Amino acid sequence: MALRSPESGGEKGPWETEAEAEEEEKEAASSPEPELTVSTRGPGSGPGPGFQPPEGGYGWLVVFAATWCNGSIFGIQNSFGIIYTMLLKEEGGEKSQQEFKAAWVGALAMGMIFLCSPIVSIFTDRMGCRIPATAGAAVAFIGLLSSSFTNSLEARFFTYGILFGCGSSFAFQPSLVILGHYFQRRLGLANGVVAAASSLFSMSFPFLMKILGDKIQLAHTLQVLSIFMLVLMLLSLTYRPLLPTTHNPRAKVGRSLRQQCLGHLTNYCNMRVFYHRTYRIWAFGIATAALGYFIPYVHLMKYVEKQFTGEKMIKDTWVLLVCIGATSGIGRLVSGRISDSIPGLKKIYLQVIAFMLLGLMCMMIPLCKGFGGLVVVCLFLGLCDGFFTTIMAPVAFELVGPMQASQAIGYLLGMMALPMTAGPPIAGLLHNCFENYHVAFYFAGVPPIIGGIILFFVPLFHRKMPKKQEMDSSKDKMLASDTIMNGDLLPGAPATEAHI
């Protein structure tokens, strides 16, 4: 159902002259801003002066779907250390090549989530949340299922690393966007429910995968995990967008097809965020820290098996991943509250502390002489993970403004893909060279510390150009009424349905 103002008319036919087009353009320029056209497809939608999210109702089903998405995808991704040990047991060949090649399987899967983020943003803006999320879950399902029918690491580079990773990216990102369609006043509550519930959900995966691995081995374990993606594919169908759009009669007047195509290309591939020097510094710092971020998730299980051989607690290595997941959820909830109380860009210091502590904890892993010490280290690792991920969006808003924040985050995640993918294989190569994991974990701690030092200087540079920031902020407010995709439509509202 669509609500239009009675004054809005349709487009004229091809007999319209250039003089009439210019006259219409002048009248449109002198007229007040176009009224909001609200298109809704959810139940209970009715007339209203503007876009009003339902703040509940059907939205809670969407919250459940987003929770399942976050919990299942990152529950599998963050528990790859268990799959990694099963891959090493199953794969034959020279041992010197195993550690390096097996690490690539999980690293590719995690890296593809971030590498595809800018592309997913374009598809989500253009097609809406439902189609990319459903298609992504289907691809992830095919990736996991096909991985169970091969014993080759090279084949799993594609099935698990590429297919499952890309599918996870397309399924995950719309789950973040769709909540804004159903919640505004209670958006913080909805995000908190998703963060807490998905953390509890993902905490069960290490235990589940360990039990399945011992009972039915790797192939059947991957088949069971693919069921979670099948359920996610069905739940993604609940992402029914609420479509706000403005009826702008000037959108196509006097513009050729080439100009319209260039305009769309500019909207989708907007590189203006890189004009901000502070954003470039911030993105470089986080990309640097990402080099060591994923190493503990991949190599920690194998390290414990080798380091604590013969100890009773060796059977409960999955507890370490549960500890990381538990404190990560706590960190997300706590850091959100803390960041709301910190004004301006000073909240970036939470990321600085998180990265510095993350690096120190990675370096502490080889120094732990008992399993209890590793549990404490993993609790802090999860806490740092929660703080780092939650503060990312608020800092992006402070650096580039609200109108460019979505693409700023997309580009940032894309920049993180390469170092995050390269980290675990490099650690595996160091293990092969030195025949222990000590150097690998020392290496894992260096990039986060360097990244934290880089981020420390971002607020200092930001203070030196207050006038430029004020100009950029005013431009963002003006752009909110221009014909830019993320300004005309709520992110994730399909442009193809804008005027239905």
Side-chain angles (χ1 to χ4, degrees):
M1 182 176 65
L3 305 177
R4 297 184 182 271
S5 67
E7 295 81 13
S8 61
E11 294 182 1
K12 293 188 177 183
W15 58 83
E16 182 185 43
T17 63
E18 294 183 2
E20 289 174 333
E22 293 178 0
E23 183 178 357
E24 183 180 359
E25 184 175 359
K26 291 179 181 179
E27 290 176 358
S30 61
S31 62
E33 292 186 0
E35 295 186 16
L36 185 66
T37 302
V38 181
S39 301
T40 61
R41 299 168 70 187
S45 60
F51 174 65
Q52 295 293 334
E55 302 291 350
Y58 181 82
W60 292 116
L61 179 59
V62 176
V63 168
F64 174 75
T67 300
W68 185 280
C69 176
N70 284 257
S72 59
I73 287 178
F74 286 100
I76 297 173
Q77 294 280 7
N78 292 341
S79 302
F80 179 75
I82 297 175
I83 297 178
Y84 178 72
T85 57
M86 289 190 283
L87 284 173
L88 293 179
K89 291 178 182 178
E90 182 183 272
E91 179 68 14
E94 296 183 9
K95 187 175 179 181
S96 61
Q97 298 177 354
Q98 281 185 328
E99 307 279 349
F100 179 71
K101 291 170 63 177
W104 271 107
V105 177
L108 278 173
M110 180 61 80
M112 292 307 296
I113 292 182
F114 294 92
L115 183 63
C116 293
S117 291
I119 303 173
V120 178
S121 297
I122 295 175
F123 275 91
T124 303
D125 283 346
R126 188 65 185 170
M127 305 174 67
C129 294
R130 180 189 292 177
I131 296 177
T134 305
V139 173
F141 166 73
I142 294 172
L144 284 178
L145 188 62
S146 58
S147 295
S148 66
F149 294 107
T150 179
N151 293 327
S152 170
L153 280 179
E154 288 78 7
R156 283 172 173 153
F157 289 164
F158 176 73
T159 57
Y160 189 97
I162 304 299
L163 288 183
F164 175 59
C166 289
S168 297
S169 183
F170 274 81
F172 165 67
Q173 199 158 323
S175 72
L176 304 179
V177 174
I178 193 62
L179 294 180
H181 287 241
Y182 290 88
F183 298 91
Q184 183 177 5
R185 179 175 52 85
R186 305 171 74 180
L187 183 58
L189 174 63
N191 279 317
V193 170
V194 171
S198 61
S199 295
L200 293 174
F201 188 25
S202 61
M203 282 169 54
S204 63
F205 273 85
F207 175 73
L208 173 65
M209 293 168 66
K210 183 65 176 176
I211 295 297
L212 292 175
D214 294 338
K215 298 290 184 182
I216 60 178
Q217 303 304 318
L218 177 60
H220 295 299
T221 299
L222 293 172
Q223 292 172 5
V224 173
L225 294 178
S226 68
I227 297 175
F228 287 90
M229 297 297 103
L230 181 62
V231 175
L232 176 59
M233 183 172 60
L234 300 176
L235 289 175
S236 298
L237 296 174
T238 64
Y239 294 170
R240 296 191 294 185
L242 306 181
L243 312 177
T245 182
T246 55
H247 178 68
N248 192 342
R250 293 178 291 168
K252 296 182 180 179
V253 174
R255 298 183 66 186
S256 64
L257 179 62
R258 178 176 175 272
Q259 290 173 327
Q260 293 179 32
C261 292
L262 288 176
H264 283 299
L265 182 63
T266 303
N267 294 338
Y268 291 135
C269 303
N270 182 8
M271 305 296 289
R272 285 184 298 129
V273 294
F274 291 101
Y275 296 164
H276 299 261
R277 182 174 63 170
T278 50
Y279 171 78
R280 296 196 303 268
I281 298 173
W282 178 63
F284 177 74
I286 290 184
T288 301
L291 183 61
Y293 171 81
F294 196 50
I295 291 177
Y297 289 96
V298 174
H299 293 284
L300 185 58
M301 297 296 98
K302 192 63 180 178
Y303 166 74
V304 173
E305 288 186 4
K306 290 188 174 183
Q307 188 70 17
F308 299 99
T309 303
E311 291 195 13
K312 183 179 180 180
M313 294 299 293
I314 191 62
K315 298 180 180 179
D316 299 327
T317 54
W318 57 269
V319 172
L320 299 177
L321 295 178
V322 172
C323 291
I324 293 177
T327 51
S328 177
I330 295 173
R332 293 178 189 182
L333 295 175
V334 173
S335 61
R337 289 279 187 176
I338 296 176
S339 66
D340 289 341
S341 62
I342 299 177
L345 200 57
K346 291 182 179 179
K347 55 177 62 72
I348 201 175
Y349 291 123
L350 293 176
Q351 281 190 322
V352 173
I353 296 173
F355 279 141
M356 300 289 283
L357 189 58
L358 178 67
L360 290 175
M361 290 300 104
C362 288
M363 292 181 172
M364 287 290 293
I365 291 176
L367 302 179
C368 294
K369 302 301 181 182
F371 190 80
L374 279 177
V375 171
V376 175
V377 168
C378 289
L379 291 174
F380 279 101
L381 283 176
L383 199 63
C384 295
D385 172 74
F387 269 77
F388 153 62
T389 54
T390 304
I391 305 299
M392 189 181 299
V395 171
F397 271 78
E398 294 291 339
L399 288 174
V400 301
M403 292 303 298
Q404 300 181 59
S406 176
Q407 291 192 349
I409 295 174
Y411 287 131
L412 173 65
L413 296 179
M415 292 173 63
M416 291 172 60
L418 180 60
M420 188 170 287
T421 303
I426 292 176
L429 197 60
L430 291 173
H431 170 270
N432 294 337
C433 293
F434 295 95
E435 298 184 351
N436 62 64
Y437 277 108
H438 291 191
V439 178
F441 283 114
Y442 291 143
F443 164 77
V446 174
I449 293 176
I450 295 176
I453 294 173
I454 294 173
L455 295 187
F456 178 81
F457 293 99
V458 171
L460 303 179
F461 284 106
H462 193 72
R463 292 194 206 108
K464 293 182 179 180
M465 42 184 183
K467 293 182 179 180
K468 179 176 177 58
Q469 295 300 324
E470 290 177 5
M471 291 175 61
D472 291 338
S473 178
S474 63
K475 286 181 181 179
D476 282 342
K477 293 178 181 178
M478 294 172 62
L479 286 171
S481 60
D482 288 345
T483 56
I484 295 180
M485 180 59 64
N486 283 344
D488 285 345
L489 299 175
L490 194 66
T496 55
E497 302 177 4
H499 296 289
I500 296 178

